[in-house]
């Protein structure tokens, strides 16, 4: 059995991955709050931004954490198409859950359905990402821990959607995002602790790309997207601010006439 190290760089990758999960959650919640205060195309655009932020944050969290994953006795490579597919899955399922909550008239039913769908999608993203791992040996999973990781994903997704519906103030969103970041990180490491590897020494070159060749540049790019989107959301006026601005302009226009 190969020895697994989930934090080869110490606390750097777990801490950074947690930060990325929190940023994605906070941005997604703020965008959902904005979406629910609007209608039409504006609501759709905010919901798409929310889904992309949450999906990107979850995916980036996973693969930043994977930068610290090592197995003694073998190199590790990643299948590029499968890794990209895991990102697409994260985006699509989170988008489905967010839109279900954003447009459904029965919020409770949408919350349960959206939480289940999104949670299973997040778990699928995680295990698709793990399926992309290439190493000299065989990967096995503890079914109990796998089931627990899926349960954590569903609960975390449902809590995130509930927060998007019920939490409005920036302080509450910040606290909720810290909790959500911890839940997503817990899901990831629970899934990773389910892994065991039976190493088969070999001199063959593994297919795929190393983490530094592919995962790291992509994670940096997606992380930059999160920070830029955060700046955009912070600078965009809220519905209340737009209404206040419109109200202030009405007396001026009336006086001009």
């Amino acid at each position: 059995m190969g020895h697994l190290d989930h934090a080869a760089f110490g606390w750097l990758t777990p801490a950074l991955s947690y930060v990325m999960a929190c940023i994605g959650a906070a941005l997604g919640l703020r965008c959902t709050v904005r979406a629910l205060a609007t209608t039409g195309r504006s609501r759709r655009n905010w919901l798409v931004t929310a889904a992309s932020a949450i999906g990107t944050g979850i995916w980036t969290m996973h693969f930043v954490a994977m930068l610290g994953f090592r197995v003694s006795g073998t190199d590790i490579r990643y299948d590029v198409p499968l890794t990209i597919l895991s990102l697409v899955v994260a985006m699509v399922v989170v988008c489905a859950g967010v839109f279900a909550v954003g447009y459904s008239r029965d919020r409770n039913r949408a919350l349960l359905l959206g939480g289940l769908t999104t949670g299973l999608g997040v778990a699928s993203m995680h295990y698709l990402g793990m399926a992309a791992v290439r190493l000299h040996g065989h990967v096995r999973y503890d079914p109990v821990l796998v089931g627990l990781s899926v349960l954590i994903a569903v609960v975390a997704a449902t809590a995130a959607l509930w927060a998007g519906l019920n939490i409005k103030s920036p302080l509450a969103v910040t606290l909720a995002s810290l909790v959500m970041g911890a839940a997503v990180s817990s899901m990831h490491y629970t899934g990773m602790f389910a892994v065991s590897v039976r190493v088969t020494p070999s001199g063959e070159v593994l297919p795929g790309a190393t983490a530094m060749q592919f995962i790291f540049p992509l994670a940096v790019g997606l992380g930059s997207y999160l920070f830029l989107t955060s700046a955009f959301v912070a600078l965009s006026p809220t519905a209340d601010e737009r209404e206040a601005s419109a109200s202030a302009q009405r007396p001026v226009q009336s006086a001009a006439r």
Side-chain angles (χ1 to χ4, degrees), residues 78-160:
Y78 292 89
D79 181 283
V80 174
L82 265 181
T83 303
I84 294 176
L85 177 61
S86 70
L87 173 60
V88 173
V89 167
M91 295 288 193
V92 170
V93 296
V94 171
C95 191
V98 168
F99 269 72
V101 169
Y103 282 103
S104 177
R105 294 180 179 178
D106 187 345
R107 292 289 177 85
N108 291 330
R109 182 179 178 182
L111 183 62
L112 293 176
L113 181 60
L116 179 61
T117 302
T118 305
L120 292 177
V122 169
S124 298
M125 179 280 298
H126 174 88
Y127 289 105
L128 269 175
M130 289 304 298
V133 172
R134 299 289 179 263
L135 47 74
H136 293 304
H138 301 281
V139 178
R140 297 180 180 178
Y141 293 92
D142 182 326
V144 174
L145 288 178
V146 169
L148 179 59
S149 71
V150 173
L151 178 62
I152 293 173
V154 171
V155 172
T158 304

